[in-house]
Amino acid sequence: MESMNLMSLRASSTAPRSIAGFSFQQSLNPIPKNSAFFRLIPHTHMRNQSFLGQVSFPTVKSQQFEVKDGSETTIPEGEALKAKEWEVGMFHNEVAATQGIKIRRRPPTGPPQHYVGPFEFRLQNEGNTPRNILEEIVWNKDVEVSRMKERKSLGVLNSLLDKVQPARDFIGALKEANTRTGFPGLIAEVKKASPSRGVLRENFDPVQIAKAYEKGGAACLSVLTDEKYFQGSFENLEAIRSSGVQCPLLCKEFVIDAWQIYYARVKGADAILLIAAILPDLDIKYMTKICKMLGLTALVEVHDEKEMDRVLGIEGIELIGINNRDLGTFKVEIANTKKLLEGERGQRIRDKGIMVVGESGLFTPADIAYVQEAGVKAVLVGESIVKQDDPSAGIAQLFGKDISL
Ligand SMILES: O=P(O)(O)OC[C@@H](O)[C@@H](O)c1c[nH]c2ccccc12
């Protein structure tokens, strides 16, 4: 039986079905409806897979859960957002599909060991083969996170939180840079490789690149931590954090489980990416709350109108990234940023005071001017600056001006 940290979770019979990377399923055994028996199933092991034994919780009067010692959140009843997930028999993929999310979680049987040909040739409805690269990344992440959790439980991470340097103000740094330079604040990405572009920089020293970015006028840095597809690592994040670099750091991960948010904070992150294409609304909602509790900024990434509208319906979001790259197909179109900021939708974003980051495919001063004109106050740039021998000079080239002054 897989070990799980239950210490900090309390639930009543009316507790949410999905929270912080775990799913609760009301027992199908003949137990009275209002009793406090649940089966606790991690998101990573959906239907058909090992029930981890029946876990009983002490009955509590109100719906409440504790994520961290001492701080308790009470979840108000009757929210439409939650209601769907309460229905008996709803599982992650079903809930996600109702929200237009095409990326499915890894099935219990996992993908076959050997792939036969490129994605295009795989059958659309082949249940146990990832349908595109993003789905493949998510399925791998699922296995990876399960293993990491076994090594470091949530309880252990929790106990380490007090020992890490406090999180720095990510949005504040972007605003400050925007005011100072008149350009969108720059989040410069420490990126060695990507599945779409291959290796971007052979001679890759993350700390040296981070320092060059800071010197060149970056407001914040983004550090890729995915190893398998982006050749990043949490060691890079930690090394940059302890190198004396002052820019707040975004942990660039594929977050599918709240455990990863704690892990990122313990490793020194000031902000973390939450990708709407892989997270249902309720996950985004609770993960945003967890980020706030830990002092982390959540950068919620969207790629199309549907995702933007979903995210705008969730309370408490302060920073939205518009990715110009479709993570499923790799197609990059910077007009995407403009499209998502037009009309009523753009007005809604401004009314809510949400800061928008233009992400991916930005190479020239004209590109920067284009997304700035569209309404972004920050940009996230990797390839065009990481490829330059001197990433500092790369920043000046990107903006057409030295923004370090
Ligand atoms: O290298 P580019 O095209 O400048 O893009 C940077 C960044 O936007 C991109 O790396 C990115 C945006 N969202 C992501 C999600 C996962 C991995 C990577 C990304």
Side-chain angles (χ1 to χ4, degrees):
M1 193 163 105
E2 195 173 326
S3 71
M4 295 192 44
N5 191 299
L6 298 178
M7 283 172 354
S8 56
L9 267 168
R10 288 198 277 147
S12 75
S13 56
T14 49
R17 321 197 126 268
S18 166
I19 198 168
F22 299 109
S23 297
F24 298 94
Q25 189 198 0
Q26 204 157 4
S27 174
L28 300 176
N29 292 338
I31 291 167
K33 208 173 177 223
N34 289 330
S35 76
F37 288 88
F38 290 86
R39 285 186 286 191
L40 193 56
I41 311 166
H43 271 171
T44 53
H45 304 269
M46 287 298 136
R47 211 197 283 274
N48 306 335
Q49 230 209 351
S50 60
F51 284 153
L52 306 162
Q54 198 155 289
V55 189
S56 61
F57 297 94
T59 311
V60 285
K61 285 198 186 73
S62 64
Q63 308 162 31
Q64 51 190 338
F65 72 102
E66 240 174 77
V67 202
K68 192 187 170 201
D69 291 344
S71 69
E72 198 167 279
T73 312
T74 302
I75 301 145
E77 278 182 88
E79 286 173 45
L81 186 66
K82 283 187 308 202
K84 276 187 184 150
E85 300 207 13
W86 289 30
E87 289 165 30
V88 175
M90 290 287 269
F91 289 85
H92 176 95
N93 288 347
E94 293 161 25
V95 172
T98 66
Q99 295 167 12
I101 297 173
K102 297 192 193 77
I103 301 300
R104 303 159 305 167
R105 287 298 158 81
R106 182 180 177 274
T109 50
Q113 287 298 309
H114 303 286
Y115 291 140
V116 276
F119 291 113
E120 304 84 278
F121 297 119
R122 292 181 200 155
L123 289 175
Q124 269 291 306
N125 53 3
E126 223 180 335
N128 67 349
T129 306
R131 282 190 292 227
N132 64 29
I133 183 70
L134 182 56
E135 199 162 87
E136 182 181 321
I137 293 172
V138 166
W139 289 15
N140 272 290
K141 194 56 70 183
D142 198 325
V143 176
E144 190 184 302
V145 172
S146 301
R147 289 197 188 123
M148 288 169 89
K149 276 164 93 166
E150 271 169 28
R151 272 184 272 133
K152 263 201 175 80
S153 72
L154 192 59
V156 170
L157 292 181
N158 227 344
S159 66
L160 294 172
L161 284 174
D162 296 341
K163 298 175 188 71
V164 290
Q165 301 258 359
R168 298 167 296 197
D169 183 1
F170 197 83
I171 296 180
L174 291 173
K175 281 191 179 146
E176 195 271 322
N178 179 229
T179 313
R180 181 176 59 83
T181 64
F183 289 110
L186 172 65
I187 308 169
E189 188 153 280
V190 180
K191 181 181 196 180
K192 175 159 187 188
S194 73
S196 60
R197 313 292 285 162
V199 174
L200 296 169
R201 189 184 178 98
E202 285 293 350
N203 164 22
F204 189 83
D205 177 341
V207 171
Q208 189 200 332
I209 295 166
K211 287 188 169 165
Y213 281 160
E214 184 164 70
K215 184 167 149 271
C220 298
L221 307 182
S222 161
V223 184
L224 275 152
T225 49
D226 178 79
E227 292 188 18
K228 186 165 172 152
Y229 298 92
F230 291 86
Q231 299 191 31
S233 70
F234 278 97
E235 285 76 47
N236 290 356
L237 181 69
E238 268 184 314
I240 295 170
R241 190 43 140 115
S242 54
S243 69
V245 166
Q246 294 300 311
C247 293
L249 307 180
L250 170 75
C251 172
K252 198 65 164 327
E253 246 306 339
F254 294 85
V255 173
I256 51 169
D257 187 310
W259 178 91
Q260 294 167 277
I261 303 176
Y262 286 79
Y263 191 70
R265 182 74 273 274
V266 165
K267 296 291 179 181
D270 304 294
I272 192 155
L273 187 73
L274 301 177
I275 304 175
I278 59 180
L279 295 170
D281 297 354
L282 195 62
D283 282 353
I284 297 178
K285 181 177 167 173
Y286 286 120
M287 286 179 177
T288 305
K289 280 193 179 168
I290 290 168
C291 285
K292 285 222 169 97
M293 202 176 69
L294 300 179
L296 280 172
T297 300
L299 170 58
V300 184
E301 178 176 297
V302 302
H303 174 66
D304 58 26
E305 291 99 328
K306 170 113 193 168
E307 288 171 10
M308 178 66 97
D309 292 343
R310 280 178 48 214
V311 167
L312 290 176
I314 301 170
E315 279 304 303
I317 286 169
E318 293 168 321
L319 190 63
I320 295 182
I322 299 178
N323 198 351
N324 296 316
R325 181 178 291 112
D326 181 324
L327 290 173
T329 62
F330 298 144
K331 203 172 148 250
V332 184
E333 183 57 78
I334 69 167
N336 199 45
T337 294
K338 184 156 183 254
K339 188 171 76 182
L340 266 59
L341 291 175
E342 272 167 357
E344 260 175 51
R345 192 174 283 112
Q347 193 53 49
R348 217 172 141 205
I349 295 167
R350 287 188 291 279
D351 291 347
K352 283 176 166 267
I354 295 171
M355 187 183 225
V356 179
V357 185
E359 300 180 357
S360 307
L362 304 172
F363 287 86
T364 65
D367 292 343
I368 299 292
Y370 178 83
V371 291
Q372 183 167 25
E373 179 68 19
V376 309
K377 295 275 188 286
V379 288
L380 173 53
V381 184
E383 179 172 349
S384 66
I385 50 178
V386 84
K387 268 185 161 174
Q388 308 302 321
D389 284 342
D390 175 4
S392 227
I395 293 176
Q397 227 173 306
L398 172 68
F399 285 85
K401 197 180 159 198
D402 182 355
I403 60 159
S404 69
L405 308 167

